[in-house]
Amino acid sequence: MARWKLEQVALASLRTPKQPDESEDYWCNRVRNAAFEQVEQAADLGTMIHGALELAMAGEPYAEDLRPYVEPVMAWKQQTGIEIIDREVKLVNKQHGFAGTADVLFRYGRTGIGILDYKTRKTKPGEEVTAYDNQAMQLAAYGATYWGEENISRLLAANVFISTTEPGRVVVVKHPDVVRDWQAFRMVAALWRYQKGYDPRQHTPA
């Protein structure tokens, strides 16, 4: 995300050439405004797509202009045959001291369990879409909290990336080693507690 924001600044500087009569400070301010207007628009679209997916998963109507982003996800869901168990679930893990909201929890086959997280992404044709390490760890943590740590080894965790620049393109990235991701999350959480000198578990009501 940080890299993408820097790219927006670079692109904005090309779209917003410096005028001969303006100071460097004034020009830099114009470039920043142009860049982060684009960032805000992308964030707004991502929020709208996420909201539309929530409605679609619940069988409720959503904005017509968002269909190019939503329908491919719904088609993928139907093709896989997954059974949605829970949506937008607020999770609190008192043992490890974290909380968050899971987009989709599901079952598949006879005994399969899983978790999905929607992400919008600006993509380019032919360019591979990959997940970040923190996204895998987040899904593992939420999955362990919802389904129980004892079931983490059989958890299917995946990010569903919806392209905002190529409407209709959806890439599902599955995380192959959820056990490792869960171990990594716990180590990162412990490091965060150490660095901050704060343990949320000591401030969570019983």
Side-chain angles (χ1 to χ4, degrees):
M1 185 62 173
R3 178 180 175 182
W4 180 75
K5 287 183 178 180
L6 290 174
E7 288 177 350
Q8 298 311 304
V9 173
L11 292 170
S13 68
L14 296 176
R15 298 194 304 268
T16 315
K18 184 178 181 298
Q19 300 301 312
D21 59 344
E22 67 180 341
S23 68
E24 287 189 355
D25 285 346
Y26 186 84
W27 174 64
C28 287
N29 190 52
R30 284 204 305 121
V31 170
R32 281 195 298 269
N33 288 340
F36 289 104
E37 181 181 357
Q38 175 71 12
V39 172
E40 289 172 5
Q41 289 173 350
D44 289 343
L45 178 57
T47 300
M48 289 190 293
I49 291 172
H50 195 284
L53 282 166
E54 287 181 45
L55 292 171
M57 288 289 181
E60 299 177 12
Y62 57 91
E64 189 71 24
D65 59 342
L66 295 175
R67 287 192 179 280
Y69 306 103
V70 174
E71 286 186 342
V73 178
M74 300 306 293
W76 169 82
K77 171 186 172 292
Q78 185 173 3
Q79 181 181 4
T80 60
I82 62 176
E83 178 190 0
I84 306 298
I85 300 300
D86 251 328
R87 296 175 290 102
E88 295 301 311
V89 183
K90 297 188 185 304
L91 300 168
V92 178
N93 191 310
K94 295 181 180 180
Q95 180 181 357
H96 298 286
F98 66 87
T101 302
D103 287 346
V104 173
L105 287 307
F106 66 91
R107 292 186 182 275
Y108 66 97
R110 294 185 62 185
T111 60
I113 56 175
I115 182 170
L116 298 176
D117 187 63
Y118 309 127
K119 297 290 183 190
T120 52
R121 177 82 62 90
K122 293 172 75 72
T123 63
K124 298 177 182 178
E127 184 178 72
E128 184 182 8
V129 176
T130 59
Y132 306 129
D133 288 342
N134 67 312
Q135 292 171 335
M137 289 190 289
Q138 180 189 56
L139 281 170
Y142 290 175
T145 302
Y146 185 88
W147 294 109
E149 289 188 62
E150 68 277 10
N151 295 311
I152 193 72
S153 62
R154 61 190 186 93
L155 179 71
L156 192 161
N159 286 108
V160 180
F161 292 102
I162 302 106
S163 174
T164 57
T165 50
E166 299 177 85
R169 184 180 182 187
V170 171
V171 180
V172 179
V173 177
K174 298 178 182 178
H175 301 290
D177 196 344
V178 185
V179 172
R180 177 174 173 271
D181 297 330
W182 173 227
Q183 292 172 341
F185 179 90
R186 285 179 291 171
M187 288 188 286
V188 169
L191 179 61
W192 182 90
R193 293 194 297 268
Y194 170 77
Q195 290 177 329
K196 299 294 183 182
Y198 174 75
D199 190 336
R201 297 172 297 182
Q202 297 174 1
H203 300 80
T204 302

